[in-house]
Amino acid sequence: MLNGYLLIILAAIGYGALPIFIKWGFNMGLTIDVMLFSRFFIASSLMVFILFVSRKKGFKISKSSFIQLALQGFLFFGCSYTYFLSIKHMSVIITNILLYTYPLMVVLMSALIFKEKISFVKGATLLIAFFGCLLVIDVTNMSGQKISMSGLFYAVVSALFYALYNINGQYLSEKSSPFTVSVCTTIICLFATIAIYPPINVISCHSQLALWTVGLGTAMLCTGVPLFCYQKGLSLLGASRASILSTIEPAITTLLASFLLGETLTSEQLLGGLLIICGGLLLKLDKLKKPYPLNHHLSH
């Protein structure tokens, strides 16, 4: 079980480092199209290579799951695209903290779409996290912190995409293996990037060193390796323990951004971030005590 905890922590470090590489890319003059293409091209190539070398028998795509797999890929692309845009306009730490409002969005959408009753714990958590969001964006001192409205908008949209990605992912987990979902997701993200941004810009890229540094970093260290570590840790610990432990990710991003990028938070923003993270943790603990009925809704 100790190995499982270590694997989940390694996954959290990998995912937590993603915004650092993105900000480095912007600082080195890379554009969003170049970074998205390099990330998903390298990641999908890696996945396909593993598929052929290992000859995985678990890779199956049924007709009934094809639409959900395609939707999963587009949702992840939407999340990634708006996440990149938010980091371009706003600090890494604030963007990452706001992304972790997605569990709260899952609760709200479950109540609105699936008519799920919001319990006292969930209601209190929503209020705590909402107050945390107000502290993070520093509504009492907007001019002093210079919070970008564009960055704020993209961060919220990214969290919304990620919430939908998780809802659809729970449905897919009953039909497809994690490896199948991962392969299809990265390939669809690559095609979506090419459709929006023709890859000719990558060929005439500004700096090949910057391209490969950020591309390999986001694809290998922040996508391939943590994906494997999380899935393996998930199999050893179970979904509930792995999900709860993964809440250390925004804390890791905050530490990395502080040391590597020199970003800081005010005491109010730090308190707000803690409230948001604690809100997500409370929801997961509540789910651990009482199974989340989302799969029941989706299967009907």
Side-chain angles (χ1 to χ4, degrees):
M1 185 172 288
L2 179 60
N3 290 336
Y5 285 112
L6 291 175
L7 287 168
I8 297 300
I9 291 173
L10 286 175
I13 292 173
Y15 287 133
L18 174 62
I20 308 299
F21 280 99
I22 296 172
K23 183 64 84 174
W24 277 345
F26 283 126
N27 291 341
M28 289 187 288
L30 296 181
T31 53
I32 291 178
D33 57 335
V34 170
M35 288 192 284
L36 284 174
F37 179 83
S38 60
R39 180 192 184 190
F40 293 126
F41 176 77
I42 296 173
S44 59
S45 298
L46 175 64
M47 291 291 182
V48 172
F49 175 75
I50 294 174
L51 175 64
F52 279 105
V53 170
S54 61
R55 297 181 180 179
K56 275 191 169 287
K57 297 180 180 179
F59 187 83
K60 295 179 181 179
I61 301 178
S62 63
K63 291 182 179 179
S64 60
S65 63
F66 178 78
I67 295 178
Q68 282 72 32
L69 283 168
L71 177 61
Q72 191 75 340
F74 286 119
L75 288 173
F76 190 76
F77 174 78
C79 174
S80 299
Y81 181 57
T82 50
Y83 188 67
F84 275 63
L85 285 171
S86 180
I87 290 176
K88 181 180 180 180
H89 292 92
M90 199 163 57
S91 85
V92 162
I93 297 178
I94 294 178
T95 297
N96 197 254
I97 288 174
L98 292 177
L99 177 67
Y100 269 76
T101 59
Y102 79 88
L104 313 173
M105 295 185 181
V106 170
V107 171
L108 289 174
M109 285 187 286
S110 298
L112 293 174
I113 299 174
F114 304 115
K115 308 302 180 183
E116 179 190 337
K117 185 178 179 181
I118 297 180
S119 66
F120 174 78
V121 172
K122 291 178 181 177
T125 300
L126 289 173
L127 289 176
I128 291 171
F130 177 72
F131 182 65
C133 287
L134 295 181
L135 291 175
V136 167
I137 63 176
D138 207 359
V139 292
T140 61
N141 188 28
M142 291 291 283
S143 59
Q145 291 299 317
K146 296 181 181 179
I147 297 294
S148 166
M149 289 294 102
S150 297
L152 181 62
F153 171 76
Y154 289 128
V156 172
V157 173
S158 181
L160 178 60
F161 271 119
Y162 199 46
L164 292 170
Y165 172 83
N166 276 269
I167 291 175
N168 193 54
Q170 290 189 43
Y171 177 78
L172 272 175
S173 65
E174 299 178 352
K175 294 185 174 184
S176 304
S177 70
F179 184 78
T180 300
V181 176
S182 300
V183 172
C184 293
T185 297
T186 53
I187 291 176
I188 290 171
C189 285
L190 175 61
F191 286 150
T193 303
I194 293 174
I196 298 177
Y197 299 112
I200 188 171
N201 292 331
V202 178
I203 300 175
S204 58
C205 182
H206 334 268
S207 167
Q208 292 299 315
L209 176 61
L211 170 63
W212 285 105
T213 300
V214 175
L216 288 173
T218 57
M220 300 286 287
L221 297 179
C222 305
T223 303
V225 172
L227 182 63
F228 170 79
C229 289
Y230 189 83
Q231 292 300 328
K232 185 65 177 178
L234 194 67
S235 66
L236 295 173
L237 297 180
S240 297
R241 287 193 182 94
S243 178
I244 290 170
L245 185 58
S246 67
T247 55
I248 66 172
E249 183 186 322
I252 290 172
T253 298
T254 300
L255 289 174
L256 290 175
S258 298
F259 284 109
L260 300 176
L261 300 175
E263 293 187 0
T264 58
L265 292 176
T266 65
S267 56
E268 290 81 7
Q269 288 174 319
L270 183 59
L271 175 60
L274 289 174
L275 289 176
I276 291 173
I277 295 170
C278 288
L281 184 58
L282 282 174
L283 288 177
K284 291 176 181 180
L285 289 173
D286 186 56
K287 178 183 175 181
L288 182 62
K289 292 170 57 180
K290 184 178 181 181
Y292 196 66
L294 184 58
N295 287 342
H296 171 76
H297 291 297
L298 287 171
S299 61
H300 287 75

